[in-house]
Amino acid sequence: MERTGPTVRLSGLLAAATAAVLAAGALVATAPAAGAADVDLARNGGFESGLDGWSCTAASGAVVSTPVHGGAKALKATPAGSDNAKCSQTITVKPNSSYTLSAWVQGSYVYLGATGTGTTDVSTWTQSPGAWKQLTTTFTTGPSTTSVSVYTHGWYGTPAHYVDDLTLVGPGGDPVVIPAVPAGLRATAITSSSVALSWNAVSGASGYHVYRGGTKVATATGPSATVTGLSPSTAYSFQVTAANAAGESAKSAAVTATTTAGGGGGDTGLPARALVGYLHSSFANGSGYTRMADVPDSWDVINLAFGEPTSVTSGDIRFSLCPVAECPNVESEAEFKAAIKAKQAAGKKVLISIGGQNGQVQLASTAARDAFVTSVSKIIDTYGLDGLDIDFEGHSLSLNTGDTDFRNPTSPVIVNLISAVKSLKAKYGSGFVLTMAPETFFVQLGYQFYGSGPWGGQDPRAGAYLPVIHALRDDLTLLHVQDYNSGPIMGLDNQYHTMGGADFHIAMTDMLLAGFPVAGDTTKVFPGLRPDQVAIGLPASPQAGNGHTTPAEVNKALDCLIKKTGCGSYQTHGTWSDLRGLMTWSINWDRFNNREFSRNFDAYFGS
């Protein structure tokens, strides 16, 4: 969250990670004559049937009628941000066989390549723009290779490029057969609302379907999935099937798992649909100061921004009202406390939010942990607050090298924060409201990158909130990730999504509810949260932060997530009818913008 106007803080992670994507070695070769049994195996290589058979990142791929090399259509792909405009296709091949991959391209830095060959993956590229050029490369499959992925892509920051008449010539693969029934189905993690499952991979399977009580409830591309939206202390029966282009296998043997009791932050008394907002209580900016007594009744949770540390590593958190010199209309301490009690009497929750853009908090020692518990408790007691919001940003949370499992974190700043919050929860009991407001970089980016990575070199902050959320999920009242001031993030459809419209909120929220393998590791699946634990975080006005979303687009996202209607290209992994609501930065900016955000919330949910 920002104290002043919008500032984009784009981390170097995406740039660093993508710098090592490809080595630019040209492997152009003269195509050998095709053998008698050789055929073109590429599907829709001329793009005459649109993108049928192709998977393109984000919204980068489109079919155009000019320019073309042959036929009536060609692919136009446009790199944007961290998206290199990759389009790919998986093709069935034979083991120990030679193949020639070829395509006509137009544009600079256009790549053509193949992965999963079982021997040496290959690529070739063109450096100069101009007329159509043919790229060609060859490869030989390994002894057990039955499919390869062929692809084209551009380079970051370059203009759109074009691809046409792509072919893969070689021996045709064996006919696709229905895969075998999966074996080894087991429950790997159980919470009060979710069960994480895994099973043995099945040869030839392109995906899997998970059944609960005979009803299909989830799909997965790898041998694991997390089923969410379950009831506490309830036994569930699960089965799984394997599928490919030929069909679906029979169901596996069933496994039974019983969810744990209770959780989710206790009886916090929040309404079924909640509106959460941050109140600039300790500072002023262009939005103006709003007194606690003047906060409209629309707001169900009011987060006081901000409690900040005396130093980055002290753990000693302080909070005070905005100085009169900065906020001439600030109320007195007594008036502020009285207004808090009045809000609580009306059923509202008032929390202290720790951190924000300027409040870096690193609990690197047990002394800092203990100081955090003591000082936050003092703030809560002084103002009679209902709980705590964790808004750690910047460099507050990061993962030490070698800390690779979100289920068992070892980094002191992570371990001590978890311990501190558990101590506060134990002190104040089941009614203690606990919320978190991480950025997408610290949560959803964990689907691709986690910490410094298996080989080092990545930003150690990537996905760093995941172990905190996971360890505190049974104490967590609300998670409202900031869907703003974000770069493009890959969703569960393996496409990049960009902030500012319904699609971004749909994809980012669905990830939280469906769960996902961390850094692509199907043995380390982050289980989805309950829908009532999740709210969508947005800016209240164009001035409040990058990624402002119009009311129409906000409503479109709610329609998709809650009703599964109007979802656009992204299909959610469930109908999240119990989604808790919305969060915004901030109450002050909403008031500045004639209450557009809160009025829209009230109108949508009939408040």
Side-chain angles (χ1 to χ4, degrees):
M1 306 297 182
E2 301 172 356
R3 297 175 62 115
T4 58
T7 301
V8 181
R9 295 187 295 105
L10 298 179
S11 168
L13 171 67
L14 294 178
T18 55
V21 169
L22 288 175
L27 298 172
V28 179
T30 302
D38 289 353
V39 294
D40 178 14
L41 304 174
R43 176 181 171 184
N44 188 29
F47 301 96
E48 302 301 312
S49 300
L51 293 176
D52 180 42
W54 294 92
S55 175
C56 297
T57 57
S60 60
V63 172
V64 296
S65 56
T66 184
V68 299
H69 175 263
K73 301 289 179 62
L75 170 70
K76 177 182 179 181
T78 308
S82 60
D83 177 16
N84 62 6
K86 180 178 180 180
C87 290
S88 60
Q89 179 178 145
T90 299
I91 300 176
T92 301
V93 295
K94 282 184 175 294
N96 296 317
S97 300
S98 296
Y99 292 87
T100 299
L101 175 64
S102 180
W104 288 87
V105 302
Q106 186 178 122
S108 58
Y109 302 109
V110 186
Y111 287 75
L112 173 71
T115 60
T117 63
T119 54
T120 300
D121 291 344
V122 296
S123 67
T124 180
W125 62 304
T126 180
Q127 301 182 45
S128 59
W132 288 99
K133 299 178 178 66
Q134 187 178 33
L135 296 177
T136 304
T137 185
T138 61
F139 61 88
T140 300
T141 54
S144 60
T145 302
T146 57
S147 68
V148 297
S149 177
V150 301
Y151 65 85
T152 68
H153 68 70
W155 199 243
Y156 309 95
T158 59
H161 62 270
Y162 301 88
V163 181
D164 203 358
D165 297 333
L166 184 147
T167 61
L168 180 67
V169 176
D174 295 327
V176 179
V177 297
I178 295 175
V181 177
L185 178 62
R186 55 201 177 274
T188 57
I190 300 173
T191 73
S192 61
S193 61
S194 67
V195 174
L197 301 165
S198 65
W199 53 89
N200 300 339
V202 176
S203 177
S206 59
Y208 302 89
H209 302 301
V210 178
Y211 292 82
R212 184 186 71 215
T215 301
K216 185 165 68 175
V217 293
T219 60
T221 57
S224 64
T226 299
V227 181
T228 61
L230 307 179
S231 300
S233 304
T234 304
Y236 292 94
S237 177
F238 299 98
Q239 294 171 285
V240 64
T241 63
N244 60 19
E248 183 179 5
S249 73
K251 294 183 178 70
S252 70
V255 65
T256 299
T258 301
T259 52
T260 59
D267 181 16
T268 57
L270 286 182
R273 307 294 187 191
L275 182 62
V276 182
Y278 287 78
L279 183 67
H280 309 178
S281 301
S282 63
F283 63 96
N285 62 10
S287 64
Y289 184 82
T290 299
R291 295 161 64 101
M292 174 63 73
D294 295 331
V295 173
D297 290 339
S298 298
W299 302 96
D300 300 297
V301 180
I302 303 166
N303 291 327
L304 306 181
F306 288 105
E308 298 181 357
T310 54
S311 70
V312 172
T313 58
S314 70
D316 185 10
I317 307 300
R318 303 296 174 90
F319 171 78
S320 59
L321 289 177
C322 184
V324 174
E326 186 177 347
C327 304
N329 61 324
V330 65
E331 65 267 63
S332 68
E333 284 270 337
E335 290 171 329
F336 186 70
K337 293 177 181 178
I340 290 174
K341 289 184 178 179
K343 291 295 180 186
Q344 293 168 329
K348 313 302 180 182
K349 305 297 179 182
V350 184
L351 317 181
I352 180 64
S353 180
I354 307 297
Q357 179 177 310
N358 296 342
Q360 305 293 298
V361 182
Q362 296 175 0
L363 304 184
S365 66
T366 55
R369 175 199 66 191
D370 295 343
F372 183 88
V373 173
T374 299
S375 59
V376 171
S377 296
K378 183 177 180 180
I379 295 169
I380 291 172
D381 295 342
T382 297
Y383 293 95
L385 304 179
D386 297 289
L388 168 67
D389 173 69
I390 301 173
D391 185 16
F392 284 15
E393 299 182 13
H395 291 270
S396 293
L397 295 181
S398 62
L399 295 157
N400 291 355
T401 301
D403 190 350
T404 59
D405 189 347
F406 75 94
R407 299 165 299 186
N408 298 289
T410 58
S411 304
V413 295
I414 304 291
V415 173
N416 289 332
L417 175 60
I418 293 168
S419 175
V421 175
K422 283 187 174 292
S423 295
L424 289 167
K425 175 71 175 182
K427 177 177 180 178
Y428 291 103
S430 62
F432 185 75
V433 179
L434 173 63
T435 65
M436 301 182 193
E439 297 163 290
T440 57
F441 190 93
F442 297 92
V443 184
Q444 289 94 336
L445 188 66
Y447 178 51
Q448 289 181 278
F449 308 104
Y450 187 70
S452 58
W455 303 284
Q458 294 176 186
D459 192 316
R461 298 171 297 162
Y465 249 93
L466 291 175
V468 179
I469 298 167
H470 185 64
L472 296 170
R473 65 175 54 240
D474 285 342
D475 299 313
L476 181 64
T477 309
L478 275 179
L479 176 70
H480 29 64
V481 174
Q482 301 177 36
D483 285 2
Y484 46 94
N485 294 338
S486 170
I489 301 290
M490 181 177 286
L492 297 181
D493 57 352
N494 293 327
Q495 307 296 307
Y496 282 97
H497 299 267
T498 304
M499 65 179 182
D503 174 77
F504 190 68
H505 305 299
I506 292 167
M508 295 301 100
T509 306
D510 187 60
M511 294 180 77
L512 303 176
L513 298 169
F516 54 87
V518 175
D521 187 342
T522 55
T523 68
K524 298 175 181 176
V525 177
F526 175 78
L529 296 168
R530 298 194 320 273
D532 64 275
Q533 288 180 293
V534 174
I536 307 172
L538 311 98
S541 72
Q543 301 88 350
N546 293 314
H548 175 254
T549 307
T550 65
E553 289 294 298
V554 172
N555 294 349
K556 188 184 297 184
L558 292 172
D559 284 344
C560 174
L561 292 163
I562 295 173
K563 307 171 186 175
K564 209 174 177 67
T565 60
C567 292
S569 61
Y570 186 95
Q571 296 300 310
T572 62
H573 293 71
T575 303
W576 314 115
S577 56
D578 294 332
L579 183 73
R580 180 68 77 171
L582 302 178
M583 172 276 277
T584 195
W585 177 259
S586 61
I587 294 172
N588 304 62
W589 281 117
D590 183 53
R591 187 179 185 188
F592 179 88
N593 201 36
N594 197 32
R595 294 193 57 208
E596 178 185 79
F597 189 89
S598 57
R599 292 181 196 277
N600 183 64
F601 176 91
D602 291 344
Y604 186 90
F605 289 113
S607 300

